[in-house]
Amino acid sequence: MDLNKLREKIDHIDDNLVKLFFDRMDLSCEIAKHKKQNDLPVYDPARERQKLYELSHKAGEGREAYITALYSMLFELSRAEQERIINPSSELVETIEGAIKNTEWLFPKRTVIACQGTEGAYSQLAAEKLFALPSILYFNTFEAVFSAIDSGLCPYGILPLENSTAGSINQVYDLMMRYPFSIVRSVRLKIDHCLLAKEDVDISKIKEIYSHEQAIAQCAGFIKSIGCKVTVCENTAVAAKMVAESERSDVAAISSGNCAVLYGLKRLMQSVQDEGNNYTRFICISKSLAIYPGADKTSLMLTIPHKPGSLYHILSRIFIHGINLIKLESRPIPNSDFEFMFYFDLDTPVYSPALYQVLRELSDLCDDFYYLGSYSEIV
């Protein structure tokens, strides 16, 4: 048969499919009204399981997977429509709308910031990029930064979340499960590592390098090329300070160029990171929810049932509403049996009705659901 004739037949079938699809969705809406009147849940797993069993049998051998995939998506669409009817609003959406209304229009210029490390740390540079007049308090650990926010000691904290070369900072993700907070802004900072040592030290004499584990990972190729011992420090600025205070003449630090000036060190080499396009993304956190104008990114954390298809159900809802998922991270939950916390970044304005609908639907699909905030990112 001619190709055009075959395509005409497909077009005819598609016309019928579209009509039948909307007939099915209309019936699904009627079912939603019945469920709402009788206080019944949207999700009926026994019904869906039985339907998939019957439909896969009708599909015949070799096509069960296709029919299962098709109807799984249809079920997701039907549930999304029913959720819209049964739960037109939610406590979370009302909280977000309240935060938008009550947050100041301008991001603060003067405030106290908690940062991990010491003077010259990259977190300090990120804070200075976000705030015009920051007063910075330094803490030894990432957990101490979270604690400072949680206790009210500091209204804001700066934490590194991921690097374009070395990947995610897992320790920060793990701490995010333990402390209540909101993300109010993020910033991407160009990271340019330098090899720093005392004035009279030659690179050929270097036997040991101090730095943070992320910086070490970002400079792994360079470190391998000079064959030095590596000592992990809590921060790149701390590493530079250790070199400055050391009596040894065979140690160096991988740190920022700012630290050379701060601690009286010499730049033996500049840009020693393996990738020239090396960025770290920092988040600015607060204890209270604040959503400043222009917020176009939303972060969520959630746990889902430990069974096949659970993550698919989450991702399909995001896809159905046309929202771009730009980050998906998973971390094991401590003291659990192979359960994970999932971290999502959604690329969509906080004012989008589609985002509100997704938030309503996802909160019902998850065992635990945490809205971390909506914010803009400074580049």
Side-chain angles (χ1 to χ4, degrees), residues 3 35 67 249:
L3 179 60
K35 288 180 177 178
I67 207 73
S249 59

Side-chain angles (χ1 to χ4, degrees), residues 48 82 88 93 108 119 121 162 171 204 214 225 232 288 297 349:
E48 291 190 9
Q82 290 185 19
V93 170
E119 191 74 17
E162 58 184 327
Q171 185 183 357
S204 62
Q214 276 281 320
S225 70
V232 175
S288 58
K297 180 179 291 185

Side-chain angles (χ1 to χ4, degrees), residues 194-211 222-231 243-244 246 248-254 265-269 272:
C194 300
L195 184 67
L196 308 181
K198 293 180 179 179
E199 282 293 333
D200 57 348
V201 174
D202 186 83
I203 190 170
S204 62
K205 304 281 182 66
I206 300 299
K207 295 181 180 179
E208 187 172 2
I209 291 176
Y210 301 149
S211 197
F222 166 75
I223 294 170
K224 184 178 180 181
S225 70
I226 60 174
C228 288
K229 177 186 175 183
V230 174
T231 297
V243 170
S246 174
R248 294 171 58 184
S249 59
D250 60 352
V251 293
I254 290 177
L265 299 174
K266 179 176 67 174
R267 300 187 194 190
L268 294 181
M269 290 187 68
V272 297

Side-chain angles (χ1 to χ4, degrees), residues 229-246:
K229 177 186 175 183
V230 174
T231 297
V232 175
C233 301
E234 60 197 37
N235 190 274
T236 55
V238 170
K241 187 177 181 181
M242 287 173 61
V243 170
E245 294 174 350
S246 174

Side-chain angles (χ1 to χ4, degrees), residues 173-192:
Y173 279 103
D174 292 342
L175 289 166
M176 289 166 74
M177 297 185 232
R178 296 169 50 188
Y179 288 89
F181 69 96
S182 293
I183 303 174
V184 297
R185 190 146 289 187
S186 65
V187 58
R188 275 195 293 162
L189 188 69
K190 178 74 163 61
I191 305 298
D192 190 28

